[in-house]
Amino acid sequence: MDKFQTVLNFFLGHQKVLGYGAVSLLTAGSERIFSLVVFECPCNAWNLLYGSVFLWVPALVLFLLGLLLNSRSGRILTGCCAPGRPSLCCQGSRFCRCLQVLWLAVAQATVAPVTWISVALLGGHFYACAASGSTVVQKYMCEGKGDECSKLVLQAPCGSTSQEMGDMLKNLKAQSQVMGWILISCVMTVTLLCTCVSRCRSPVSVLHLRFWKVYLDKEQELFEHKATEHAAKLAERNLKCFFDSTELEPFQTPSPKAWQGISSLFAFNPEEHYYSMIHKYVSRKNTGGSIKSEAGDMFPTCLGFVDAAGGAETRVL
C-alpha cells in the first residue's frame, strides 16, 4: 500500500510533465502510423503540395485542438463579447493581461504540433516528397546535370531504381533530419530560457509555489464536490416543487455576478496575498471590497497555473 501511495504521489506531483510526455508520445505514434499506412507520395507534379499537406496540416489541426481544449483561452473568451455587455478584453490593463494569458495558452498548445513536425522531419518521408517537387531543391540537386535530373528527383521518393535516385533520396532525408534536430534544439533552448527567466522573476519561493499548487488542486477537488452537491440539492428542490405542485422554497445560490467574479483572470498582489479568485472573492466579500485589479497587481508568468486550474483540458466545455 505504501508503494502504491508513493507511485500515486509521484504521478500527482509530475502530472504536467507526464501529460506533455503522453501527448508527445501519442503524436509521435500517430505520425508513424500516417507515414507508414496512409502516406504515399505520388511522385509527380503533386509532390510539393501532397508532402506539405501531410507535414503542416496535421500540425495546424493539433494546434487548433490544443487551443480549443485549453482552459486559459476558454477563461478569456467565455462571455467576453456577450450581447448587452461591454467587451471585457479591451479594457485598459486587462487587454495586456489577456494577451499574456493567451500567449501561455498558445505556448501550451504548440507541444503536439511541434512534436508532429519534429518526428516527421526525423522520419524524412513527408519532407522528401515535398522537397522533391520544389524547383529550388531540384535546381540545387541538379546543378551541372541534364534536364532529366529534375524528373529523377521527382521519382526519388517512390524508390530507388538506380544508384543516382538512391543518392538523391538519401540527400533529401539527410536534409529533413538535420532540420528536425535543429528544430528540436531551438525549441528546447527557448523553453529552457523562458523557464529560467520565469523562475528568476518569481515573487514567491519554490516551496511556496509547491504549496500554492497543492492548494489549487484541493480547492478544485472540493469545488467539484460542492458544486455537484449544490446542483443536486437545487435539482431536487425544483423537481419536488414540480411533481408535488408545492410552492417554491427559498434556495441560496451564487449570483451571476459572483460567478463572473471567480471566473476573472488572477492578479498577484504582494500586499494582499490570495491563492485563487475564489479566495479573493470570499475574502473581500466580507469587507465589501471589489475584486477588480488595483495598484500593485502583478502578473508573473510563473503563476500562470492559477488561471489554468480547473480548466477544460480534460473535458470539453
Side-chain angles (χ1 to χ4, degrees), residues 138-153 164 168:
Q138 291 175 4
K139 289 180 181 179
Y140 167 74
M141 298 185 67
C142 296
E143 187 175 1
K145 300 179 181 179
D147 295 337
E148 290 296 321
C149 179
S150 297
K151 297 181 180 179
L152 292 178
V153 174
E164 185 178 9
M168 289 178 178

Side-chain angles (χ1 to χ4, degrees), residues 41-311:
C41 189
C43 295
N44 53 34
W46 283 84
N47 279 17
L48 178 60
L49 178 61
Y50 187 82
S52 299
V53 165
F54 271 83
L55 181 62
W56 296 107
V57 172
L60 176 62
V61 172
L62 290 171
F63 176 72
L64 296 177
L65 183 62
L67 285 179
L68 177 65
L69 299 179
N70 193 282
S71 61
R72 294 187 177 96
S73 57
R75 184 181 288 266
I76 291 176
L77 297 177
T78 302
C80 69
C81 299
R85 207 168 72 185
S87 177
L88 298 176
C89 293
C90 302
Q91 297 178 356
S93 61
R94 181 180 170 85
F95 179 73
C96 297
R97 175 58 177 156
C98 289
L99 290 180
Q100 183 185 21
V101 175
L102 278 177
W103 161 248
L104 293 176
V106 168
Q108 191 174 10
T110 56
V111 174
V114 168
T115 301
W116 176 278
I117 295 173
S118 300
V119 175
L121 288 175
L122 292 178
H125 300 287
F126 301 158
Y127 175 83
C129 182
S132 64
S134 170
T135 56
V136 176
V137 175
Q138 291 175 4
K139 289 180 181 179
Y140 167 74
M141 298 185 67
C142 296
E143 187 175 1
K145 300 179 181 179
D147 295 337
E148 290 296 321
C149 179
S150 297
K151 297 181 180 179
L152 292 178
V153 174
L154 279 175
Q155 296 295 323
C158 290
S160 54
T161 57
S162 66
Q163 180 65 34
E164 185 178 9
M165 290 179 64
D167 293 340
M168 289 178 178
L169 182 58
K170 290 180 181 179
N171 194 342
L172 290 172
K173 287 191 174 182
Q175 295 174 19
S176 178
Q177 290 168 353
V178 168
M179 287 190 288
W181 283 115
I182 291 175
L183 174 62
I184 292 173
S185 60
C186 289
V187 170
M188 294 303 296
T189 301
V190 171
T191 302
L192 176 63
L193 291 176
C194 291
T195 302
C196 291
V197 171
S198 174
R199 294 294 179 87
C200 290
R201 294 175 59 85
S202 173
V204 295
S205 66
V206 62
L207 291 180
H208 197 173
L209 277 175
R210 185 180 301 178
F211 168 79
W212 203 322
K213 293 177 180 179
V214 170
Y215 168 82
L216 287 175
D217 289 339
K218 290 299 180 181
E219 182 186 78
Q220 183 59 29
E221 179 183 340
L222 292 173
F223 177 85
E224 295 288 345
H225 175 73
K226 290 291 185 182
T228 302
E229 185 180 90
H230 190 82
K233 290 180 179 179
L234 180 59
E236 183 180 0
R237 185 207 66 161
N238 293 338
L239 290 172
K240 182 179 179 181
C241 178
F242 174 76
F243 284 108
D244 296 345
S245 299
T246 58
E247 292 294 330
L248 197 64
E249 300 175 358
F251 191 89
Q252 188 65 31
T253 192
S255 65
K257 184 178 180 181
W259 287 111
Q260 183 65 39
I262 66 172
S263 300
S264 303
L265 296 176
F266 178 78
F268 175 79
N269 194 310
E271 302 297 327
E272 296 179 325
H273 199 168
Y274 304 112
Y275 291 109
S276 68
M277 290 308 297
I278 293 180
H279 186 193
K280 184 176 183 179
Y281 177 82
V282 298
S283 299
R284 293 192 174 184
K285 179 182 178 182
N286 296 331
T287 60
S290 172
I291 62 170
K292 293 182 179 179
S293 298
E294 55 187 26
D297 282 352
M298 302 167 56
F299 308 104
T301 307
C302 65
L303 298 181
F305 61 87
V306 180
D307 288 320

